[in-house]
Amino acid sequence: MPTPTPTPTPTPTPRPPLSTLLPPLICGTATFNNQYNASAFSLPTTSIIERALALGITAFDTSPYYGPSEQLLGDALTHPSILAHHPRSSYILQTKVGRLHAAEFDYSAEWIRYSIQRSCERLKTTYLDVVYCHDVEFVSAEEVLQAVRELRRLRDAYSTVRYIGISGYPVPVLCGLAEMVLRETGEPLDAVMSYANFTLQNQTLLTRGVERLKSAGVSVVPNASVLGMGLLRSVGVPVGGKGDFHPAPMSLRNAVQEAARWTEGQGNGERLEVVAIRWGLESWARDGAVLGSGLIPNADSISKGKIGISVMGVSNLSELEETMRVWNSVLDGMSICTKVREVRKEEREWSIVRKVEVEMLAKGIWGILGEWRDYAWASPDADFVNTRVVKGVIDEVDRVTSIESVKENGDGIGGKLSRL
């Protein structure tokens, strides 16, 4: 009996480094969720996305874990008023796999395939630019490695995924897993996304993460949640439709509120959240540049430098406008930007003055935070148990056909996916 011919391993299609494609500011849509807002469906999501694109934002981050976020984002991006001016090729889509609910994770190959297909359908696209394994600290290293390998298989065989990374909270865990993936596969991760670890309150991503991630060959490290999941706000942590979800202990919250009152007392209408956003965006643009984006916003020539990448979420148009006002002012004061984009002298000078003001305010805030500076809460909690006992079982009502079977039939959005 002849020996069957083994199926050849797909050869990866050479792609440019993610740092050459991902812009330095990404619109996060975790806020399109009842966790941050009383009703996600009451948010002006289409108007937010349309205005973001008009302001030059060309990348969006989401996740199946963020409630209706993927669906709302997909509906917005395919709205006729947006689609007419912004085809799919004009922006980057990032989503995630593996986290189903607060205490339910599934990194099995079967679930990964299902999740990718479902995300494509919700986002109304035939491919995903970047996919992260979501909150990797909640599963084993072996499960993360299995998920990364499956995502790479989908990338190489079907082109449904183009770049692959991991996301989570504890910086040492993220670094260890990035090193493990490189060691076990010989290929580095394209991206590692950290959240709430480079803020006015906590700079662990810089002090304990950047060098290790660089050594692990990671291309980009987006910094998400410069407000620490809403911790650094004068009104306190957000309480949405699901109640108070924030993991910060009460003593840290009290210290932050003391810092907020001190900030307001400095005059000129200062608010903690405004200072925190400015400091976070400006500092990471500089300190995260080694693992940042080579794309300079509104540049009229090619820059040889990089800017650290930030992910910013908003819930309304006024928050978006304020974020973009601050972001553009940050860019006005950066020499790497003024060399390749037109900036008026007074705008550059104002940006430099504001940078000094914010740095002075930051020092005062750090003095108030005291021992709480660089504090990182536990993730997961010591008593965490993954409630997903049987992995890979797809029990969704709207079950989606697998990528492989759709490829054979050649119909539906999956057929388009497989033919890319």
Side-chain angles (χ1 to χ4, degrees), residues 10 30 198:
F198 190 82

Side-chain angles (χ1 to χ4, degrees), residues 15 17-19 21-23 26 58-64 70 88 91-97 116 119-120 123 125 127-133 151 155 159-167 189-193 220 222 309:
R15 301 188 190 280
L18 186 54
S19 60
L21 301 176
L22 202 61
I26 299 171
T58 57
F60 302 90
D61 178 78
T62 184
S63 171
E70 283 188 325
R88 175 64 182 89
Y91 55 81
I92 299 286
L93 280 179
Q94 297 189 157
T95 192
K96 306 174 185 74
V97 294
I116 292 297
S119 291
C120 285
L123 291 164
T125 182
Y127 66 96
L128 302 166
D129 297 285
V130 187
V131 175
Y132 296 91
C133 298
L151 287 169
R155 175 197 65 187
S159 296
T160 54
V161 176
R162 300 199 168 174
Y163 295 90
I164 296 153
I166 61 173
S167 72
L189 292 167
D190 298 304
V192 173
M193 184 190 297
V220 296
I309 301 169

Side-chain angles (χ1 to χ4, degrees), residues 39-181:
S39 174
F41 289 98
S42 66
L43 300 177
T45 51
T46 298
S47 297
I48 290 172
I49 299 304
E50 185 168 25
R51 183 58 179 156
L53 287 162
L55 291 170
I57 293 178
T58 57
F60 302 90
D61 178 78
T62 184
S63 171
Y65 178 61
Y66 302 156
S69 174
E70 283 188 325
Q71 188 69 55
L72 291 171
L73 178 58
D75 289 347
L77 288 168
T78 54
H79 190 278
S81 64
I82 295 178
L83 195 58
H85 304 285
H86 304 282
R88 175 64 182 89
S89 59
S90 65
Y91 55 81
I92 299 286
L93 280 179
Q94 297 189 157
T95 192
K96 306 174 185 74
V97 294
R99 184 162 198 174
L100 284 68
H101 302 290
E104 190 173 358
F105 293 79
D106 193 338
Y107 276 50
S108 68
E110 182 181 3
W111 183 263
I112 296 299
R113 292 192 295 272
Y114 169 78
S115 185
I116 292 297
Q117 182 71 13
R118 184 182 59 179
S119 291
C120 285
E121 293 203 348
R122 289 174 172 177
L123 291 164
K124 298 178 173 62
T125 182
T126 56
Y127 66 96
L128 302 166
D129 297 285
V130 187
V131 175
Y132 296 91
C133 298
H134 200 172
D135 291 340
V136 289
E137 68 267 28
F138 288 85
V139 300
S140 68
E142 291 75 16
E143 289 173 287
V144 173
L145 186 59
Q146 173 183 246
V148 168
R149 282 176 165 152
E150 180 61 18
L151 287 169
R152 287 176 175 173
R153 188 186 71 82
L154 296 177
R155 175 197 65 187
D156 299 339
Y158 303 101
S159 296
T160 54
V161 176
R162 300 199 168 174
Y163 295 90
I164 296 153
I166 61 173
S167 72
Y169 181 67
V171 171
V173 173
L174 294 173
C175 293
L177 289 171
E179 292 162 349
M180 181 268 294
V181 169

Side-chain angles (χ1 to χ4, degrees), residues 201-230:
Q201 179 266 323
N202 177 9
Q203 292 96 55
T204 307
L205 180 58
L206 174 63
T207 58
R208 301 180 63 187
V210 167
E211 285 304 317
R212 286 183 66 183
L213 294 170
K214 179 184 176 184
S215 297
V218 176
S219 181
V220 296
V221 176
N223 177 47
S225 194
V226 296
L227 292 181
M229 297 170 62

